[in-house]
Amino acid sequence: ARARTEERVGSLEAAVERLAEAQRRTEERVGSLEAAVDRLIEAQKRTDVAIERLTEAQKRTDATVQVLVEAQNRIEATVHELAEAQRRTEESLRLSGLRVEALFSRSGPDAEAAFRDGLREIVSEAGYKVEVHRGQDPEGYINYDPGRSYELDVLVRNGTVIAVEIKSSVDSHDVVRFVRTVSLFERQTGRRVNKRVMIAASRRQEARQRAKELGVALGIDPDALQE
């Protein structure tokens, strides 16, 4: 009986040891689970922070999109205004063309002066500032005649400078003289001329060719005055 009792006690002790080992392993697993839970909680916190940042970024993006939409609306309105202004300018130039033709239909010694005055009025209505520059040519650069004075019509609009000469008829010598006049004007005033225009009712073929070579717009149509 004692031997059996001792055997049972030994079995119980072994069972207790197994239970203790199982308890240790369970505690280890519980510890691992707690660590995993802590990591999940930390990860969730980082996720929440990231979501909050994304939400804030989305708000900023929405605000930026709204600003862009408003800017686009303003641009479209500006384009519409520019298109309307261009339409009015084209209509003004069309009417100006009719007036130019009427001016050129006049004859007599005062026709050229009348045409010059009329065209100045027309381009003023189109938004140009009309300047009449009077200068001296001490070296005879224009006509090889030192000491002579010269006169040049200058139109200014939106920072663009257009030199204009108005004559009843133009030949190749007139074109060269005009180009030299503009060059002297630029040298003496320090201003850059963006476009050179000669307007005349009569234009000889050699004048057309010379004007093309020297970059001079030659014609009767005020459209040539557009920047």
Side-chain angles (χ1 to χ4, degrees):
R2 182 176 179 179
R4 286 194 300 273
T5 300
E6 288 176 354
E7 184 178 351
R8 289 173 181 170
V9 169
S11 298
L12 289 173
E13 289 176 349
V16 168
E17 288 179 0
R18 288 194 299 273
L19 286 173
E21 181 64 22
Q23 180 64 30
R24 185 185 61 77
R25 290 195 299 271
T26 299
E27 289 175 353
E28 289 179 355
R29 291 174 181 171
V30 170
S32 298
L33 288 173
E34 289 176 347
V37 169
D38 289 341
R39 289 195 296 272
L40 286 172
I41 292 173
E42 187 63 27
Q44 183 62 41
K45 290 180 180 178
R46 292 194 298 270
T47 300
D48 292 341
V49 171
I51 290 173
E52 184 176 351
R53 290 176 180 172
L54 286 173
T55 301
E56 187 64 27
Q58 183 62 41
K59 290 180 181 178
R60 292 195 298 270
T61 300
D62 292 342
T64 301
V65 169
Q66 181 62 30
V67 171
L68 290 174
V69 169
E70 293 176 357
Q72 180 66 27
N73 290 337
R74 290 195 297 272
I75 290 172
E76 291 176 354
T78 301
V79 169
H80 178 73
E81 291 175 359
L82 289 174
E84 184 63 21
Q86 179 64 25
R87 185 192 63 77
R88 291 194 299 269
T89 299
E90 291 174 354
E91 179 64 17
S92 175
L93 288 172
R94 187 186 69 81
L95 296 175
S96 297
L98 298 177
R99 293 170 64 184
V100 167
E101 292 178 1
L103 286 169
F104 264 127
S105 66
R106 299 178 59 177
S107 60
D110 297 329
E112 188 172 303
F115 174 72
R116 182 180 293 108
D117 294 339
L119 187 61
R120 285 173 180 168
E121 179 183 349
I122 290 170
V123 297
S124 296
E125 293 173 358
Y128 289 95
K129 177 184 177 183
V130 182
E131 302 176 4
V132 180
H133 175 79
R134 295 179 176 85
Q136 295 294 321
D137 185 8
E139 300 176 357
Y141 176 73
I142 299 174
N143 292 304
Y144 305 102
D145 186 6
R148 294 190 63 179
S149 61
Y150 70 93
E151 183 176 301
L152 182 66
D153 289 332
V154 179
L155 311 182
V156 181
R157 185 174 75 172
N158 300 327
T160 298
V161 179
I162 302 176
V164 181
E165 180 163 341
I166 303 166
K167 295 180 68 68
S168 58
S169 63
V170 172
D171 59 25
S172 60
H173 297 292
D174 294 324
V175 175
V176 173
R177 187 164 48 252
F178 173 60
V179 170
R180 296 177 73 87
T181 301
V182 174
S183 178
L184 182 61
F185 165 80
E186 290 180 317
R187 191 164 70 241
Q188 290 181 341
T189 64
R191 299 171 69 183
R192 178 177 177 273
V193 173
N194 303 100
K195 192 171 185 179
R196 296 171 295 184
V197 180
M198 296 188 77
I199 298 178
S202 174
R203 304 170 299 280
R204 296 183 180 179
Q205 182 59 37
E206 65 270 18
R208 299 174 190 269
Q209 182 62 32
R210 198 64 170 156
K212 184 177 180 181
E213 294 172 354
L214 298 177
V216 176
L218 182 61
I220 186 175
D221 193 342
D223 286 342
L225 299 176
Q226 295 193 73
E227 296 92 331

